[in-house]
Amino acid sequence: MAMTSDISNHLSNGIDFLTSADLILKKTLTTVPSGRPRHGKRSDKDKDNAEAPKEEVDEDAEYINGILQELRVELDVKRREEERLQKEIADVLTECASGSSGGEQSRAFGMAVSRLNNAMLVVEADTKQLAASLRTISRLADNISSKVSALDVAKTRVVECLQLAGDMHDLGVCSEEVDQCINNEDYEQAAQHIHRFLTLDRAVFQFSSSADKEAGQTVSHSYEVLTNATTRLKEILERKLEAAVDAEDIAAMQRFVKLFPLINEHDSGLVRFGKYLSRQIAKIGEDNLKIMNAGGMDDKRVNVLYADTLFLFFEGIAALLETNQPLIESAYGPDKLLDFINMLQVDIDQIVGKVIDGFEKKRQLEKRLKAAQKILREDKNVDKGERLDALELDTLLSEICLMNTHTEMYWRFVRRRIKGASKEQNQEEYVMVNGDDFGDMDEEKKKRLEEEKIRRKAEREKKLDQLLNRSLVGSKMQELLGNYILLEQYYMEESVRKAIDMDVREEGLLSPKMLP
């Protein structure tokens, strides 16, 4: 009831305000008078004075009357519109003042507020229930996480136990069979047993002797047996390989050289097998040196005799490496392949050094260098007899270019072989690191493998640089190229000088301008 009385008071005040505003508007918007009436008549004198501009006055009056007429019409329209609006406002205020519609709106508003309040209570209850559910889920997740962690630890321990049990079983089997394999000269199987022994986890050997009663022998006894077998097999393989090298038995060499990596004796196998290849390199070099000292087999290629000697020698070395590369690469790996080539490079340097020394001596390179230096640096106006023959110098420079070309071809062959082997190893390491489908390899182990891979790659690049640039072949060829540059400079200046001399016209000869 109080709310209804307040609404009625507000409506009555609004009606009073609109009524007073209407009265003020009516007083203000009065009709415009039709014109001021005329008082009295004009005198004759005035008529006479006004006759001249009478026509102009009539036109102005008509114009003003027209404007006034339009304003009156427009004012009437606005007044009628005002009356209509006042009537509509009064009707609306009267309807609101009646009180029935206001009560209905108040009740509708109250019901809407009540529904909103009920909805908010429901939302609050649901929110509390959701929070309770989330707390329950969080506790369950914590419990599951702790159980999974415990299960993971248990799994790791079970895997370690299984691996340890397998290693202990392998240790017993290897110790039982290794001596028998050596006695039966089954060196491949014996090397496999020793390789398995060398790759066992060190934790196996920490067990006491009582832990291996079921196998019939103790861990310490197995360790001692396999250690002695390793030493024994190493001596046998070294003796067999040396005998095969002396007899040049290729099949026996290939058989025994593959077994040294299995017993972790890579260098021992490479050194002994390298002796055989060193003999082959020396033989190839001596054959080519004999042909070189005899003046070659083709008189037409006497001018490039030493370049041909280098070419034939490098061809023989490339064939030798290509034949034995698969054996070394598969058994020892690409890193050891590079070490093996470094071992052989000593013998290659000796042969190439002899060829270059013979070239410098036979072609009188030192004498020609001194003559070229004297002409270029001291006195360019020397006698014609002291100058070097340009044709002979051109032949010498061409042979130096061929020697450098053959050497570069050999280096490219070696680099391609080493790069190819390294690429295959990188692919295998990538599969090993990234092909972890079961997630058994943790991130720390992957990181260690990546670091080891980067370290080996840097070490390989360093060894390859030493092989290509710091070997005797590389240094000799660099020195030879330095001499080539000096002789090439002299040859170009001599060619230009001769061209200038030939361009001078002798007296009495016809010139092109004198020809018809």
PDB file of all heavy atoms in Angstrom, residues 405-424:
ATOM      1  N   THR A 405      95.984 -31.818 -59.768  1.00  0.00           N
ATOM      2  CA  THR A 405      94.646 -32.345 -60.062  1.00  0.00           C
ATOM      3  C   THR A 405      94.507 -33.793 -59.596  1.00  0.00           C
ATOM      4  O   THR A 405      93.497 -34.169 -58.977  1.00  0.00           O
ATOM      5  CB  THR A 405      94.366 -32.252 -61.566  1.00  0.00           C
ATOM      6  OG1 THR A 405      94.461 -30.890 -61.979  1.00  0.00           O
ATOM      7  CG2 THR A 405      92.982 -32.780 -61.887  1.00  0.00           C
ATOM      8  N   HIS A 406      95.521 -34.617 -59.867  1.00  0.00           N
ATOM      9  CA  HIS A 406      95.461 -36.019 -59.438  1.00  0.00           C
ATOM     10  C   HIS A 406      95.457 -36.132 -57.910  1.00  0.00           C
ATOM     11  O   HIS A 406      94.748 -36.987 -57.344  1.00  0.00           O
ATOM     12  CB  HIS A 406      96.650 -36.785 -60.015  1.00  0.00           C
ATOM     13  CG  HIS A 406      96.663 -36.829 -61.515  1.00  0.00           C
ATOM     14  ND1 HIS A 406      95.509 -36.812 -62.264  1.00  0.00           N
ATOM     15  CD2 HIS A 406      97.701 -36.886 -62.417  1.00  0.00           C
ATOM     16  CE1 HIS A 406      95.810 -36.866 -63.553  1.00  0.00           C
ATOM     17  NE2 HIS A 406      97.139 -36.903 -63.674  1.00  0.00           N
ATOM     18  N   THR A 407      96.218 -35.280 -57.255  1.00  0.00           N
ATOM     19  CA  THR A 407      96.234 -35.309 -55.789  1.00  0.00           C
ATOM     20  C   THR A 407      94.875 -34.914 -55.214  1.00  0.00           C
ATOM     21  O   THR A 407      94.377 -35.539 -54.263  1.00  0.00           O
ATOM     22  CB  THR A 407      97.326 -34.363 -55.252  1.00  0.00           C
ATOM     23  OG1 THR A 407      98.581 -34.713 -55.846  1.00  0.00           O
ATOM     24  CG2 THR A 407      97.439 -34.472 -53.745  1.00  0.00           C
ATOM     25  N   GLU A 408      94.260 -33.888 -55.786  1.00  0.00           N
ATOM     26  CA  GLU A 408      92.942 -33.465 -55.318  1.00  0.00           C
ATOM     27  C   GLU A 408      91.891 -34.547 -55.552  1.00  0.00           C
ATOM     28  O   GLU A 408      90.985 -34.734 -54.730  1.00  0.00           O
ATOM     29  CB  GLU A 408      92.529 -32.170 -56.023  1.00  0.00           C
ATOM     30  CG  GLU A 408      93.300 -30.938 -55.568  1.00  0.00           C
ATOM     31  CD  GLU A 408      93.034 -30.619 -54.107  1.00  0.00           C
ATOM     32  OE1 GLU A 408      91.916 -30.891 -53.631  1.00  0.00           O
ATOM     33  OE2 GLU A 408      93.958 -30.122 -53.440  1.00  0.00           O
ATOM     34  N   MET A 409      92.003 -35.254 -56.659  1.00  0.00           N
ATOM     35  CA  MET A 409      91.072 -36.356 -56.915  1.00  0.00           C
ATOM     36  C   MET A 409      91.209 -37.441 -55.846  1.00  0.00           C
ATOM     37  O   MET A 409      90.206 -37.995 -55.373  1.00  0.00           O
ATOM     38  CB  MET A 409      91.334 -36.953 -58.299  1.00  0.00           C
ATOM     39  CG  MET A 409      90.900 -36.070 -59.458  1.00  0.00           C
ATOM     40  SD  MET A 409      91.304 -36.791 -61.060  1.00  0.00           S
ATOM     41  CE  MET A 409      90.402 -38.332 -60.981  1.00  0.00           C
ATOM     42  N   TYR A 410      92.431 -37.739 -55.458  1.00  0.00           N
ATOM     43  CA  TYR A 410      92.637 -38.743 -54.407  1.00  0.00           C
ATOM     44  C   TYR A 410      92.062 -38.261 -53.081  1.00  0.00           C
ATOM     45  O   TYR A 410      91.407 -39.030 -52.345  1.00  0.00           O
ATOM     46  CB  TYR A 410      94.129 -39.041 -54.263  1.00  0.00           C
ATOM     47  CG  TYR A 410      94.459 -39.902 -53.061  1.00  0.00           C
ATOM     48  CD1 TYR A 410      94.111 -41.241 -53.035  1.00  0.00           C
ATOM     49  CD2 TYR A 410      95.098 -39.351 -51.949  1.00  0.00           C
ATOM     50  CE1 TYR A 410      94.400 -42.031 -51.926  1.00  0.00           C
ATOM     51  CE2 TYR A 410      95.393 -40.131 -50.844  1.00  0.00           C
ATOM     52  CZ  TYR A 410      95.038 -41.467 -50.834  1.00  0.00           C
ATOM     53  OH  TYR A 410      95.319 -42.239 -49.735  1.00  0.00           O
ATOM     54  N   TRP A 411      92.273 -36.992 -52.729  1.00  0.00           N
ATOM     55  CA  TRP A 411      91.728 -36.466 -51.469  1.00  0.00           C
ATOM     56  C   TRP A 411      90.201 -36.502 -51.481  1.00  0.00           C
ATOM     57  O   TRP A 411      89.575 -36.797 -50.452  1.00  0.00           O
ATOM     58  CB  TRP A 411      92.213 -35.041 -51.230  1.00  0.00           C
ATOM     59  CG  TRP A 411      93.646 -34.886 -50.826  1.00  0.00           C
ATOM     60  CD1 TRP A 411      94.516 -33.934 -51.249  1.00  0.00           C
ATOM     61  CD2 TRP A 411      94.381 -35.690 -49.888  1.00  0.00           C
ATOM     62  NE1 TRP A 411      95.744 -34.090 -50.656  1.00  0.00           N
ATOM     63  CE2 TRP A 411      95.692 -35.164 -49.805  1.00  0.00           C
ATOM     64  CE3 TRP A 411      94.071 -36.804 -49.127  1.00  0.00           C
ATOM     65  CZ2 TRP A 411      96.669 -35.712 -48.992  1.00  0.00           C
ATOM     66  CZ3 TRP A 411      95.050 -37.361 -48.316  1.00  0.00           C
ATOM     67  CH2 TRP A 411      96.326 -36.818 -48.249  1.00  0.00           C
ATOM     68  N   ARG A 412      89.602 -36.171 -52.613  1.00  0.00           N
ATOM     69  CA  ARG A 412      88.138 -36.233 -52.695  1.00  0.00           C
ATOM     70  C   ARG A 412      87.635 -37.660 -52.511  1.00  0.00           C
ATOM     71  O   ARG A 412      86.591 -37.888 -51.884  1.00  0.00           O
ATOM     72  CB  ARG A 412      87.662 -35.673 -54.040  1.00  0.00           C
ATOM     73  CG  ARG A 412      87.717 -34.158 -54.132  1.00  0.00           C
ATOM     74  CD  ARG A 412      86.838 -33.646 -55.265  1.00  0.00           C
ATOM     75  NE  ARG A 412      87.289 -34.124 -56.559  1.00  0.00           N
ATOM     76  CZ  ARG A 412      88.159 -33.485 -57.334  1.00  0.00           C
ATOM     77  NH1 ARG A 412      88.674 -32.331 -56.929  1.00  0.00           N
ATOM     78  NH2 ARG A 412      88.507 -33.976 -58.499  1.00  0.00           N
ATOM     79  N   PHE A 413      88.358 -38.623 -53.051  1.00  0.00           N
ATOM     80  CA  PHE A 413      87.985 -40.024 -52.870  1.00  0.00           C
ATOM     81  C   PHE A 413      88.023 -40.407 -51.391  1.00  0.00           C
ATOM     82  O   PHE A 413      87.079 -41.024 -50.862  1.00  0.00           O
ATOM     83  CB  PHE A 413      88.938 -40.909 -53.683  1.00  0.00           C
ATOM     84  CG  PHE A 413      88.839 -42.371 -53.356  1.00  0.00           C
ATOM     85  CD1 PHE A 413      87.816 -43.140 -53.879  1.00  0.00           C
ATOM     86  CD2 PHE A 413      89.768 -42.973 -52.511  1.00  0.00           C
ATOM     87  CE1 PHE A 413      87.716 -44.490 -53.572  1.00  0.00           C
ATOM     88  CE2 PHE A 413      89.681 -44.320 -52.202  1.00  0.00           C
ATOM     89  CZ  PHE A 413      88.653 -45.078 -52.734  1.00  0.00           C
ATOM     90  N   VAL A 414      89.107 -40.036 -50.709  1.00  0.00           N
ATOM     91  CA  VAL A 414      89.229 -40.368 -49.285  1.00  0.00           C
ATOM     92  C   VAL A 414      88.142 -39.673 -48.474  1.00  0.00           C
ATOM     93  O   VAL A 414      87.493 -40.280 -47.601  1.00  0.00           O
ATOM     94  CB  VAL A 414      90.634 -39.978 -48.773  1.00  0.00           C
ATOM     95  CG1 VAL A 414      90.723 -40.165 -47.264  1.00  0.00           C
ATOM     96  CG2 VAL A 414      91.699 -40.814 -49.472  1.00  0.00           C
ATOM     97  N   ARG A 415      87.911 -38.392 -48.764  1.00  0.00           N
ATOM     98  CA  ARG A 415      86.896 -37.644 -48.013  1.00  0.00           C
ATOM     99  C   ARG A 415      85.506 -38.233 -48.234  1.00  0.00           C
ATOM    100  O   ARG A 415      84.705 -38.341 -47.298  1.00  0.00           O
ATOM    101  CB  ARG A 415      86.922 -36.178 -48.440  1.00  0.00           C
ATOM    102  CG  ARG A 415      86.029 -35.281 -47.577  1.00  0.00           C
ATOM    103  CD  ARG A 415      86.013 -33.854 -48.090  1.00  0.00           C
ATOM    104  NE  ARG A 415      87.316 -33.217 -47.962  1.00  0.00           N
ATOM    105  CZ  ARG A 415      88.116 -32.932 -48.974  1.00  0.00           C
ATOM    106  NH1 ARG A 415      87.759 -33.252 -50.214  1.00  0.00           N
ATOM    107  NH2 ARG A 415      89.273 -32.340 -48.780  1.00  0.00           N
ATOM    108  N   ARG A 416      85.208 -38.629 -49.458  1.00  0.00           N
ATOM    109  CA  ARG A 416      83.891 -39.202 -49.753  1.00  0.00           C
ATOM    110  C   ARG A 416      83.694 -40.528 -49.033  1.00  0.00           C
ATOM    111  O   ARG A 416      82.599 -40.815 -48.526  1.00  0.00           O
ATOM    112  CB  ARG A 416      83.754 -39.378 -51.264  1.00  0.00           C
ATOM    113  CG  ARG A 416      82.373 -39.832 -51.699  1.00  0.00           C
ATOM    114  CD  ARG A 416      82.211 -39.727 -53.204  1.00  0.00           C
ATOM    115  NE  ARG A 416      83.186 -40.536 -53.922  1.00  0.00           N
ATOM    116  CZ  ARG A 416      84.198 -40.044 -54.627  1.00  0.00           C
ATOM    117  NH1 ARG A 416      84.386 -38.738 -54.693  1.00  0.00           N
ATOM    118  NH2 ARG A 416      85.040 -40.844 -55.263  1.00  0.00           N
ATOM    119  N   ARG A 417      84.734 -41.333 -48.968  1.00  0.00           N
ATOM    120  CA  ARG A 417      84.627 -42.614 -48.271  1.00  0.00           C
ATOM    121  C   ARG A 417      84.383 -42.418 -46.778  1.00  0.00           C
ATOM    122  O   ARG A 417      83.541 -43.083 -46.164  1.00  0.00           O
ATOM    123  CB  ARG A 417      85.906 -43.427 -48.489  1.00  0.00           C
ATOM    124  CG  ARG A 417      86.074 -43.947 -49.899  1.00  0.00           C
ATOM    125  CD  ARG A 417      85.052 -45.017 -50.190  1.00  0.00           C
ATOM    126  NE  ARG A 417      85.107 -45.459 -51.582  1.00  0.00           N
ATOM    127  CZ  ARG A 417      84.365 -46.433 -52.074  1.00  0.00           C
ATOM    128  NH1 ARG A 417      83.511 -47.052 -51.290  1.00  0.00           N
ATOM    129  NH2 ARG A 417      84.439 -46.767 -53.340  1.00  0.00           N
ATOM    130  N   ILE A 418      85.119 -41.498 -46.198  1.00  0.00           N
ATOM    131  CA  ILE A 418      84.980 -41.275 -44.752  1.00  0.00           C
ATOM    132  C   ILE A 418      83.635 -40.631 -44.439  1.00  0.00           C
ATOM    133  O   ILE A 418      82.959 -41.003 -43.472  1.00  0.00           O
ATOM    134  CB  ILE A 418      86.149 -40.413 -44.245  1.00  0.00           C
ATOM    135  CG1 ILE A 418      87.465 -41.186 -44.402  1.00  0.00           C
ATOM    136  CG2 ILE A 418      85.935 -40.024 -42.792  1.00  0.00           C
ATOM    137  CD1 ILE A 418      88.690 -40.385 -44.048  1.00  0.00           C
ATOM    138  N   LYS A 419      83.215 -39.670 -45.256  1.00  0.00           N
ATOM    139  CA  LYS A 419      81.930 -39.013 -45.025  1.00  0.00           C
ATOM    140  C   LYS A 419      80.777 -39.997 -45.168  1.00  0.00           C
ATOM    141  O   LYS A 419      79.801 -39.946 -44.407  1.00  0.00           O
ATOM    142  CB  LYS A 419      81.753 -37.859 -46.017  1.00  0.00           C
ATOM    143  CG  LYS A 419      82.706 -36.696 -45.820  1.00  0.00           C
ATOM    144  CD  LYS A 419      82.352 -35.886 -44.601  1.00  0.00           C
ATOM    145  CE  LYS A 419      83.239 -34.655 -44.496  1.00  0.00           C
ATOM    146  NZ  LYS A 419      82.933 -33.839 -43.307  1.00  0.00           N
ATOM    147  N   GLY A 420      80.867 -40.899 -46.150  1.00  0.00           N
ATOM    148  CA  GLY A 420      79.801 -41.882 -46.331  1.00  0.00           C
ATOM    149  C   GLY A 420      79.671 -42.814 -45.141  1.00  0.00           C
ATOM    150  O   GLY A 420      78.565 -43.105 -44.667  1.00  0.00           O
ATOM    151  N   ALA A 421      80.811 -43.270 -44.616  1.00  0.00           N
ATOM    152  CA  ALA A 421      80.767 -44.143 -43.442  1.00  0.00           C
ATOM    153  C   ALA A 421      80.233 -43.404 -42.220  1.00  0.00           C
ATOM    154  O   ALA A 421      79.448 -43.945 -41.435  1.00  0.00           O
ATOM    155  CB  ALA A 421      82.165 -44.691 -43.159  1.00  0.00           C
ATOM    156  N   SER A 422      80.620 -42.144 -42.061  1.00  0.00           N
ATOM    157  CA  SER A 422      80.143 -41.360 -40.917  1.00  0.00           C
ATOM    158  C   SER A 422      78.647 -41.099 -41.018  1.00  0.00           C
ATOM    159  O   SER A 422      77.931 -41.095 -40.014  1.00  0.00           O
ATOM    160  CB  SER A 422      80.905 -40.032 -40.851  1.00  0.00           C
ATOM    161  OG  SER A 422      82.295 -40.262 -40.733  1.00  0.00           O
ATOM    162  N   LYS A 423      78.144 -40.888 -42.232  1.00  0.00           N
ATOM    163  CA  LYS A 423      76.713 -40.642 -42.413  1.00  0.00           C
ATOM    164  C   LYS A 423      75.895 -41.863 -42.017  1.00  0.00           C
ATOM    165  O   LYS A 423      74.854 -41.747 -41.358  1.00  0.00           O
ATOM    166  CB  LYS A 423      76.447 -40.270 -43.871  1.00  0.00           C
ATOM    167  CG  LYS A 423      75.010 -39.878 -44.150  1.00  0.00           C
ATOM    168  CD  LYS A 423      74.841 -39.444 -45.590  1.00  0.00           C
ATOM    169  CE  LYS A 423      73.394 -39.037 -45.867  1.00  0.00           C
ATOM    170  NZ  LYS A 423      73.211 -38.627 -47.283  1.00  0.00           N
ATOM    171  N   GLU A 424      76.350 -43.055 -42.389  1.00  0.00           N
ATOM    172  CA  GLU A 424      75.632 -44.273 -42.005  1.00  0.00           C
ATOM    173  C   GLU A 424      75.629 -44.448 -40.487  1.00  0.00           C
ATOM    174  O   GLU A 424      74.617 -44.830 -39.893  1.00  0.00           O
ATOM    175  CB  GLU A 424      76.276 -45.483 -42.676  1.00  0.00           C
ATOM    176  CG  GLU A 424      76.104 -45.495 -44.198  1.00  0.00           C
ATOM    177  CD  GLU A 424      76.771 -46.696 -44.825  1.00  0.00           C
ATOM    178  OE1 GLU A 424      77.354 -47.500 -44.065  1.00  0.00           O
ATOM    179  OE2 GLU A 424      76.706 -46.830 -46.061  1.00  0.00           O
TER     180      GLU A 424
END
